[in-house]
Amino acid sequence: MHEAAVAQKLLQLILAETEKHGGRPVAARVSYGPLEAINKEALCFAFEAISGHTACSSVKLHVEQKPLLANCGQCKHSFEIDLKSQAAAVCPQCGSADFEVLADAPLMLERIEFEIGGKDERN
Amino acid sequence: MSEIDVNKRILGENDRRALENSLFLAGRGMPCLNVISSPGAGKTTLLARTIKAMADSIRIGVIEGDITTSLDADKIKSAGGVAIQINTDGACHLSAAQVFEALGKLPLDDLDMIVIENVGNLVCPSAFALGESAKVAVLSVAEGDDKPAKYPALFAKSRALLINKMDLLGPAVDFDIDRATADVRALNKDVEIFPVSAFTGQGMEVWYEWLREQVRREKRRL
């Protein structure tokens, strides 16, 4: 629901990094955990809408949802929690319900890809 | 082509401001609760009753977040509380910067605790840190016992959950507390759960004691 606000912050971050780095940004990798209340399509749509008249107009967003992880308290196995599952979560290795859910992955700008070289400058 | 690693939090600016708020409040020994629920779960009624009942032991300052109107702040003031209203003009959540500004308008020297009543929304507010010492979720029985499973983020991140409107339980409102509790605990083992009715006062004494403990805990840290 607040993807437009997130897209605005993301655009500012990429523009600031572009200023430091130089060149034309063409792609950016973003990741987030399932508890961050983000819809991938809405984020891409909002970003495309606001980046059109900026130096980020050719940036293609690659958005990846990271899994929510847990550590089993019994067998120490690390596993992914499936929030879509109807069944109560248990450790897939030992079946224990005694596990610790780890912190959700934050909404991150991981990498930016730049196009360099003179022939692209005329675009 | 060249690639650079950035690895920056997209909401980093809000996170930094939230950290400033939390350090500022910790420095004064004040707990700060970020109360989140869907619209109509009874947050304001709950706070108004809490403020009245605790007037002699804990002084609570309330920051009210709503898309528009000052209805909620007015209700808190009618209950004898201190409240600052923030209007988000359509935004679905409060930001740490808005809370910082509101903190500056509260008479902090006369208060023991800050309670932020976030915009009524079960999804977005849980993604924005405000500088709170704890998130508190409110779920009313009329909303249904499947909400923790369907909207896991808030329930996974809350230190306390109030299950409100317990007085409505009956043939028309079929809410399985065990199911809701199990779904919340699946992702959040240590959450405190308080079944209450802010209307009748049922179960509220345990909640008041939890609030007193929050104040004692922050004071001990000074």
Side-chain angles (χ1 to χ4, degrees), chain A residues 82-100:
Chain A
D82 180 8
L83 291 171
K84 292 190 176 115
S85 163
Q86 302 281 322
V90 290
C91 170
Q93 190 157 286
C94 72
S96 168
D98 168 25
F99 55 82
E100 186 196 359

Side-chain angles (χ1 to χ4, degrees), chain B residues 125-172:
Chain B
S126 69
F128 292 82
L130 301 180
E132 67 269 20
S133 48
K135 285 185 177 58
V136 173
V138 182
L139 173 67
S140 68
V141 294
E143 294 165 65
D145 50 27
D146 55 356
K147 294 304 169 289
K150 288 163 77 170
Y151 301 84
L154 168 64
F155 300 98
K157 295 175 185 175
S158 294
R159 176 121 32 97
L161 163 65
L162 291 117
I163 301 180
N164 192 24
K165 307 194 189 179
M166 288 295 288
D167 54 304
L168 293 184
L169 280 187

Side-chain angles (χ1 to χ4, degrees), chain A residues 88, chain B residues 139 141 144-146 148-149 161 163 166 169 174-186 193 195:
Chain B
L139 173 67
V141 294
D145 50 27
D146 55 356
L161 163 65
I163 301 180
M166 288 295 288
L169 280 187
D174 178 20
F175 183 97
D176 182 346
I177 288 217
D178 292 339
R179 184 211 169 160
T181 303
D183 285 342
V184 174
R185 291 215 188 279
I193 300 181

Side-chain angles (χ1 to χ4, degrees), chain B residues 31 33 45-62 76 79-82 110-115 162 194 196 201 203-216 219:
Chain B
L33 305 181
T45 305
L46 181 89
L47 290 180
R49 185 164 195 131
T50 302
I51 285 165
K52 252 189 202 167
M54 302 192 82
D56 294 336
S57 55
I58 293 181
R59 298 161 300 173
I60 300 173
V62 179
I76 297 295
V82 188
D110 302 329
L111 299 172
D112 302 303
M113 171 183 268
I114 303 294
V115 175
L162 291 117
F194 305 108
V196 300
M204 293 287 281
E205 200 43 59
V206 199
W207 157 245
Y208 299 152
E209 185 44 40
W210 187 81
L211 291 176
R212 284 185 208 107
E213 176 52 31
Q214 301 309 304
V215 172
R216 286 193 292 267
K219 290 238 158 77

Side-chain angles (χ1 to χ4, degrees), chain A residues 1-2 6 9-10 12-13 17 20-21 26 30 35-37 68 81 83 98-101 106-116, chain B residues 1-11 13 90 92-93 121 123-128 149 152-153 156-157 179 183 186-189:
Chain A
M1 201 161 144
H2 49 270
V6 170
K9 297 288 176 202
L10 176 61
Q12 286 168 5
L13 264 184
E17 293 296 324
K20 275 193 264 171
H21 182 269
V26 291
V30 168
L35 302 183
E36 295 308 296
L68 185 63
I81 301 250
L83 291 171
D98 168 25
F99 55 82
E100 186 196 359
V101 182
L107 190 51
M108 296 272 277
L109 169 60
E110 294 189 346
R111 335 192 64 190
I112 307 174
E113 200 177 295
F114 293 91
E115 196 169 60
I116 45 173
Chain B
M1 292 284 179
S2 72
E3 272 194 281
I4 57 164
D5 284 328
V6 182
N7 292 324
K8 283 191 177 159
R9 287 178 180 237
I10 296 172
L11 300 177
E13 188 192 332
C92 53
H93 60 275
N121 177 332
V123 183
C124 310
S126 69
F128 292 82
K157 295 175 185 175
R179 184 211 169 160
D183 285 342
L187 294 180
N188 186 350
K189 260 189 282 187

